[in-house]
Amino acid sequence: MAIRRAKQKAQVIEKLSQVAPPGETFIACVHTETGPSPWLNALFDEIPLVGLVVAFTRKFYFLTLTNTSVVVNTASRWTNRPGEVVAVFPRSAFPVSKIKRARVWSSIYLQFPGEKFPRRLNIHRYWRNEFDQLLTAVPNAPIPGQASGSGTYAQQ
């Protein structure tokens, strides 16, 4: 199981290199998880079985920024190994909204193809540098550090 960020990124790049077009450059890779705020886990764990149900409903993804696109692929719940590619978006059309950069758990809402509503993706501070690099692909996103007092970058 890959625990270190560098090893996880290397595994994602290795996996994506097999299907990437020639000349594709990998810039940043961010690990995310779906669901409500991870801060609520402490509350959910106090209610019998609810914490377990919430934990098993979470999905894990890697968002990888390349020179031409943003690639979304699954991540294994148990090993963090990268899985199948579920979406590829051109950098200029990365469908995110409600970008919130917080001290520990940041979040964005990503509109997956074929889904009616955007899905909340939580990003831990551990991935902050890569998250900031990923935000360069978001049209009209402010530069990190210029957020308003609410911690929100952009509402699209």
Side-chain angles (χ1 to χ4, degrees):
M1 170 161 71
I3 296 173
R4 296 179 50 138
R5 184 176 48 221
K7 180 67 173 175
Q8 290 177 21
K9 290 185 334 188
Q11 289 175 345
V12 171
I13 291 170
E14 179 184 337
K15 176 91 172 176
L16 294 180
S17 294
Q18 298 169 3
V19 294
E24 195 79 6
T25 304
F26 299 97
I27 300 168
C29 184
V30 180
H31 185 268
T32 68
E33 62 181 62
T34 64
S37 172
W39 290 112
L40 293 175
N41 284 348
L43 176 65
F44 293 146
D45 287 343
E46 295 299 317
I47 306 168
L49 296 177
V50 173
L52 190 61
V53 169
V54 170
F56 280 110
T57 59
R58 289 191 188 277
K59 293 182 181 176
F60 300 87
Y61 296 98
F62 283 105
L63 305 178
T64 305
L65 177 65
T66 72
N67 58 328
T68 61
S69 58
V70 178
V71 181
V72 181
N73 60 307
T74 60
S76 169
R77 172 183 314 279
W78 311 112
T79 64
N80 268 346
R81 283 195 159 290
E84 66 184 60
V85 173
V86 293
V88 178
F89 303 102
R91 284 179 66 150
S92 61
F94 186 42
V96 296
S97 59
K98 298 181 186 175
I99 301 167
K100 183 179 178 189
R101 187 171 179 263
R103 287 188 189 266
V104 180
W105 284 102
S106 300
S107 65
I108 60 173
Y109 285 78
L110 177 61
Q111 181 66 52
F112 281 85
E115 292 189 4
K116 190 173 181 179
F117 299 106
R119 188 179 302 178
R120 179 186 170 121
L121 299 176
N122 302 299
I123 300 106
H124 191 272
R125 180 177 176 78
Y126 186 68
W127 295 92
R128 172 67 50 84
N129 292 337
E130 290 82 0
F131 180 51
D132 288 345
Q133 288 177 315
L134 178 69
L135 291 178
T136 64
V138 177
N140 302 320
I143 298 169
Q146 294 182 350
S148 65
S150 67
T152 301
Y153 276 149
Q155 299 285 338
Q156 295 179 339

